[in-house]
Amino acid sequence: RERKGPKGEFAQVLALDKQVLDGKEGEEGTKAGEGKYCVIEAGWVSSWLAFVYYNDSSPAPGKIQNSKLLDHSGCPIEGIQLASDKKSGHYRLIREPVWDLYCKLYKDSGPKIWVDEEPYNEPEKWQVDEEWLQALYKKNNINPDDLKVRRPTGVLEEAEDTEEALLQQEEEAKEEAKGDEVDIFTD
């Protein structure tokens, strides 16, 4: 692996990122802050930066393991935070072409997690690779119909006991209770 120099990983990623920002790669007509972002585990990014930029003795980070960001059912872990240059966190957001390059450089990385609607930093909007989810369900003996899961179509399946249904049940209970009331002040 070539860490540095014009053909090194760092140079490849920087060049691709610049192409994306300049509008030469990716979706046509996409502004700098729009488009599809992929989620990447922040610890992997730190290890990769140590490998390609900071320390010549750091080993290559290995495959990206985004499964660390998901619970046993494939949903984002509770309390997950976006990392930045100024604060630590669990994940970062990168452009999709950069994700694709990382996966080319580090085989068997994944699962692919992406978000394509603002605000991009809300894990509730994440979409997870469907094939990976199906394998996870099979491994953990989970019926996906029992879960509230984000599908790659971008549609969030709602549980049956939504707030509206709960309010309706509460109203019905109040109506039933009215019939049981006894007015002690009437003759």
Side-chain angles (χ1 to χ4, degrees), residues 119-171:
Y120 297 109
N121 63 341
E122 292 182 0
E124 301 82 39
K125 296 181 183 278
W126 286 5
Q127 299 180 57
V128 180
D129 176 66
E130 186 68 24
E131 284 182 40
W132 184 86
L133 280 175
Q134 293 303 322
L136 178 71
Y137 298 155
K138 187 174 182 179
K139 175 184 167 193
N140 292 336
N141 200 22
I142 294 173
N143 180 354
D145 295 333
D146 296 338
L147 300 173
K148 183 178 176 179
V149 178
R150 187 141 185 96
R151 300 285 183 198
T153 59
V155 177
L156 187 62
E157 293 180 8
E158 297 293 338
E160 287 184 25
D161 57 344
T162 62
E163 185 176 348
E164 186 177 313
L166 292 173
L167 290 173
Q168 184 178 0
Q169 289 174 357
E170 190 176 303
E171 285 297 317

Side-chain angles (χ1 to χ4, degrees), residues 12-87:
Q12 289 180 51
V13 170
L14 285 180
L16 181 58
D17 201 43
K18 184 175 179 351
Q19 285 179 349
V20 171
L21 290 175
D22 291 346
K24 295 177 185 170
E25 177 75 32
E27 300 173 28
E28 290 294 320
T30 301
K31 295 180 186 171
E34 297 176 341
K36 185 185 284 188
Y37 285 88
C38 290
V39 172
I40 189 168
E41 198 263 324
W44 187 91
V45 174
S46 296
S47 296
W48 181 79
L49 285 170
F51 171 67
V52 297
Y53 188 74
Y54 297 118
N55 185 342
D56 286 337
S57 63
S58 293
K63 66 182 180 180
I64 302 165
Q65 296 183 30
N66 276 350
S67 58
K68 294 177 181 180
L69 305 172
L70 305 170
D71 65 16
H72 74 283
S73 66
C75 294
I77 57 173
E78 191 154 337
I80 198 163
Q81 296 289 314
L82 175 66
S84 70
D85 295 337
K86 296 177 182 168
K87 71 172 192 151

